[in-house]
Structures are given as structure tokens and as C-alpha cells.
């Protein structure tokens, strides 16, 4: 099977880019299943309408991150839906769920876990490594292929997770930094890996934000609330080709440009 993972969708421009490109990318790469990180769809957070829009664009599962609850109206949505995941290692009373088992192609059962890192994230989730162990134990015998997203700031933490889950998850990928890394690989025990998928949103921007606003912040100037940058956008992610025995046979970075009207 082929899995497409799509990096952090930024703003309405990012959602529009999904609607324009996602189905074509799926068709061109022969993709069977799509996972999209949507935690920046509202800039910070995601609304139920935006989540619906991402599903309508072709996502099978939506993942979130440190801005999961920035829009309070998403809480009930997370409890109602099984196909949108907030980080599993957040406080247990948090709305929603952090992992699930989904029907994939050819009768395959896909275990998908959404984890969040702890390095430089300015709050204290549970240990994501121990959380991954717990999920794999609880789901043992109920899935065919395991997949993991690690939403983290430190490349070292993401790399460590990739090796930690090597041979136990068919694919491990990172999100959060909005910059696509060029280190896609198959790790020694057969897991596909990439440190960061990048983002889906404005190309001429600073992580999706208007360039002049970001520069003003770093200069120490007063600036208004960040706005999504205008202009052409790109869809950024990776395609993992996976065998039925839970191994990865190839990883391909994806970066597709989309002209904005």
C-alpha cells in the first residue's frame, strides 16, 4: 500500500491548496490512504468546519499538535469523531483520542498514533516514547501495520523516535517545524522515516506567516496578530510505500506548487 502524509496545513490558503492538489497527488503517486496534519488550519488550531473541509479535500485521518485545543469549539468535534487525532500523550482528560485503528486498503488494519515531543515545547506532556510503548501493547493483535507521527520541535527527538520505533512501526514522520527535511530514509529494521514533512501553505512566508510581520517580531517591533501570507502555495509531505508485513520499501518526498488566484 501507499501512504501519503501531508505536513501542517496553514490557514484557509493551505486548505484551498489541499482542495486543488490533493486528489491529483494521490492519483499520480497511486496513494491508498492519506493522513493530514491540520493543527494550523486556523493559524493556531482548527475549527470543526475546517476539519470537515480537510476531510472533503481527501484526507482519511487528520492529526493535530500543540495547537490542538486553540479553538475551543473543536473539543466536542474531537469527542464525536474517530478520524481526527490529538496527541496521545496529552493529559488523559483531554477531549478526543490520540490513536486509532482504521480500515486500510486490501483489508489491512492501520494503527495510527499521534505523539507530541517535549523538547522546547514549553509545557509538559507525558513521555512520548513510553506512550508509544503503551499504545503498541494495548493494540497488540488488533492491527496489521502501525504508523506514528511525532509533532516536535527538536530534530534530535524526532530522529530518536524514528529509531525507537524502527521495526515496530512501518513509518514514522515528524511535523511542527513547517520546513521539509531532506533526510527521507528506510531505517535499519525496515521503518520509513522523515524528520519533518514541511507545511502546506504559502511559499513566500515565514512558516506560513507574512514575511514582514515575522521580521518585525524578530526586530523587536510592535506587530499585530500574525496573518497568513498571500501568494502561491505548496503541498508538502511524503509518500511511504509499505508491504503487508509492516515494512517500508520506499519513501518519496512530495512538494507540489499551487498558483493562487
Amino acid at each position: 500500500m501507499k501512504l501519503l502524509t501531508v505536513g501542517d496545513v496553514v490557514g484557509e490558503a493551505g486548505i484551498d491548496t489541499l482542495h486543488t492538489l490533493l486528489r491529483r497527488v494521490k492519483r499520480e503517486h497511486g496513494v491508498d490512504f492519506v493522513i493530514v496534519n491540520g493543527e494550523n488550519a486556523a493559524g493556531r488550531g482548527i475549527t470543526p468546519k475546517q476539519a470537515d473541509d480537510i476531510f472533503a479535500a481527501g484526507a482519511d485521518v487528520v492529526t493535530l499538535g500543540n495547537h490542538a485545543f486553540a479553538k475551543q469549539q473543536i473539543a466536542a468535534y474531537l469527542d464525536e469523531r474517530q478520524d481526527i487525532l490529538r496527541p496521545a500523550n496529552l493529559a488523559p482528560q483531554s477531549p478526543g483520542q490520540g490513536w486509532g485503528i482504521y480500515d486500510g486498503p486490501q483489508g489491512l488494519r492501520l494503527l495510527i498514533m499521534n505523539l507530541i515531543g517535549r523538547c522546547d515545547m514549553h509545557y509538559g506532556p507525558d513521555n512520548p516514547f513510553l506512550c508509544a510503548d503503551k499504545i503498541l501493547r494495548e493494540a497488540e493483535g488488533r492491527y496489521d501495520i502501525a504508523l506514528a507521527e511525532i509533532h516536535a520541535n527538536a530534530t534530535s527527538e524526532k530522529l530518536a523516535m524514528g529509531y525507537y520505533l524502527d521495526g515496530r512501526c512501518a513509518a514514522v514522520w515528524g511535523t511542527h517545524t513547517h520546513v521539509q527535511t531532506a533526510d527521507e530514509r528506510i531505517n535499519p529494521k525496515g521503518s520509513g522515516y522523515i524528520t519533518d514533512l514541511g507545511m502546506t501553505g504559502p511559499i513566500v512566508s515565514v512558516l506560513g506567516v507574512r514575511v514582514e510581520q515575522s521580521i518585525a517580531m524578530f526586530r523587536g517591533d510592535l506587530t499585530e496578530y500574525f496573518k497568513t501570507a498571500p501568494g502561491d502555495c505548496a503541498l508538502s509531505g511524503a509518500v511511504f510505500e509499505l508491504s503487508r508485513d509492516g515494512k517500508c520499501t520506499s519513501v518519496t518526498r512530495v512538494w507540489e506548487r499551487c498558483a493562487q488566484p
Side-chain angles (χ1 to χ4, degrees):
M1 67 162 281
K2 286 189 176 182
L3 166 73
L4 172 63
T5 55
V6 178
D8 306 45
V9 174
V10 178
E12 291 296 333
I15 296 174
D16 291 344
T17 301
L18 284 182
H19 278 279
T20 301
L21 293 179
L22 184 53
R23 285 190 169 82
R24 175 167 68 79
V25 170
K26 288 173 63 176
R27 189 167 58 249
E28 289 178 353
H29 288 271
V31 168
D32 301 297
F33 200 90
V34 179
I35 302 172
V36 176
N37 185 287
E39 74 136 10
N40 293 119
R44 291 170 61 92
I46 186 171
T47 67
K49 180 184 181 303
Q50 290 167 334
D52 287 340
D53 282 347
I54 292 174
F55 284 119
D60 294 296
V61 169
V62 172
T63 55
L64 303 175
N66 55 305
H67 298 311
F69 310 125
K71 302 300 181 188
Q72 290 297 309
Q73 60 265 48
I74 200 65
Y77 188 95
L78 294 177
D79 282 332
E80 294 164 3
R81 302 280 301 239
Q82 303 298 307
D83 49 5
I84 182 168
L85 299 175
R86 47 82 170 166
N89 52 317
L90 296 181
Q93 69 270 26
S94 300
Q97 60 183 10
W99 63 279
I101 298 172
Y102 305 91
D103 293 331
Q106 299 144 16
L108 291 170
R109 298 166 298 170
L110 308 180
L111 166 64
I112 302 171
M113 66 178 89
N114 186 196
L115 305 167
I116 195 164
R118 298 196 295 179
C119 296
D120 302 321
M121 296 293 273
H122 306 298
Y123 65 102
D126 287 343
N127 188 306
F129 293 81
L130 301 182
C131 181
D133 288 340
K134 181 180 178 183
I135 292 169
L136 291 171
R137 282 197 305 270
E138 289 184 10
E140 187 175 3
R142 297 162 52 198
Y143 67 91
D144 301 301
I145 292 176
L147 308 165
E149 177 176 321
I150 171 72
H151 192 83
N153 196 46
T155 55
S156 57
E157 191 172 18
K158 290 188 269 195
L159 282 160
M161 183 65 76
Y163 286 117
Y164 189 67
L165 294 176
D166 188 17
R168 297 194 285 165
C169 287
V172 180
W173 62 93
T175 55
H176 180 65
T177 68
H178 292 205
V179 177
Q180 189 180 63
T181 54
D183 64 340
E184 70 277 16
R185 69 186 71 167
I186 298 173
N187 279 335
K189 296 178 182 178
S191 297
Y193 174 80
I194 186 170
T195 296
D196 203 283
L197 298 176
M199 74 171 205
T200 298
I203 297 168
V204 181
S205 70
V206 178
L207 311 186
V209 174
R210 290 174 182 260
V211 171
E212 61 275 14
Q213 284 190 302
S214 186
I215 291 173
M217 181 194 70
F218 284 113
R219 278 173 45 90
D221 301 338
L222 296 177
T223 183
E224 59 184 324
Y225 185 77
F226 280 164
K227 295 179 180 177
T228 303
D232 290 356
C233 293
L235 182 153
S236 186
V239 173
F240 297 87
E241 188 164 4
L242 310 173
S243 63
R244 293 188 67 90
D245 62 354
K247 303 295 184 183
C248 183
T249 57
S250 70
V251 187
T252 305
R253 272 182 290 137
V254 174
W255 193 91
E256 292 283 344
R257 189 182 191 110
C258 173
Q260 296 295 298

